[in-house]
Amino acid sequence: MNVLRFSDLCAQGKAKGKKVFIRADLNVPQDESGAITEDTRIRASVPAIQMALDNGAAVMVTSHLGRPTEGEFKPEDSLAPVAKRMAELLGRDVPLVANWVDGVQVAPGQVVLLENCRLNVGEKKNKEELARKMAALCDIFVNDAFGTAHRAEGTTYGIAQFAPIACAGPLLSAEIDA
């Protein structure tokens, strides 16, 4: 199988100055107060994010968390605790961006975490209009969400159909190679 890998694009200098949208799996367990109880998935997402940053990309990361109802934000569905932990691991600010589908401001060398993707109406059913809007946010789509790669949702499948470049991140590449 011929798979386009993000690491190869970076090695060729193709991420420099580009907007990179990374679909990660940051669905981590939390206690009743919202504190993360186990952060393996966040730590596993760091190599793809760091690779993009090291190669001069403007980085957007998103994930789902739990099973929220599309279009109905509740504080317990927020990726805010994930953004905090990711910032600690990366040693830099990781702003959390809500209502991001219609546009995101991020510069090369910066990273933002896009709020819970499953809050977007049409995510679960992979609505084409949503997938096209998300694809328009980026130059390169990186699927690094091994735990959800099998789902035909907007941020795992739909965006890949319309993004200028779609590739596998380090986690997905490792699984493909295994």
Side-chain angles (χ1 to χ4, degrees), residues 75-155:
E76 61 267 23
D77 297 327
S78 179
L79 287 171
V82 174
K84 181 179 182 224
R85 181 64 181 132
M86 187 177 286
E88 292 168 355
L89 292 168
L90 291 169
R92 62 171 55 227
D93 287 338
V94 178
L96 181 64
V97 178
N99 304 314
W100 49 268
V101 172
D102 291 317
V104 178
Q105 295 297 317
V106 60
Q110 294 180 328
V111 59
V112 296
L113 182 62
L114 308 176
E115 188 58 274
N116 195 331
C117 62
R118 287 199 181 151
L119 292 169
N120 297 315
V121 175
E123 167 68 10
K124 292 283 290 172
K125 294 191 186 239
N126 189 27
K127 295 291 184 179
E128 183 175 327
E129 179 183 359
L130 177 63
R132 285 185 181 277
K133 283 184 171 187
M134 292 186 295
L137 297 174
C138 66
D139 301 303
I140 301 171
F141 166 66
V142 180
N143 191 339
D144 208 36
F146 176 71
T148 60
H150 65 287
R151 298 183 188 277
E153 296 177 351
T155 56

Side-chain angles (χ1 to χ4, degrees), residues 26-40 42 65 75-86 88:
L26 306 171
N27 188 26
V28 293
Q30 297 172 291
D31 64 20
E32 299 77 32
S33 71
I36 295 169
T37 58
E38 209 288 316
D39 71 350
T40 297
I42 301 170
L65 182 66
E76 61 267 23
D77 297 327
S78 179
L79 287 171
V82 174
K84 181 179 182 224
R85 181 64 181 132
M86 187 177 286
E88 292 168 355

Side-chain angles (χ1 to χ4, degrees), residues 56-80:
V59 186
M60 299 167 276
V61 182
T62 197
S63 177
H64 73 286
L65 182 66
R67 298 175 185 266
T69 301
E70 289 184 356
E72 295 180 25
F73 177 81
K74 291 183 227 141
E76 61 267 23
D77 297 327
S78 179
L79 287 171

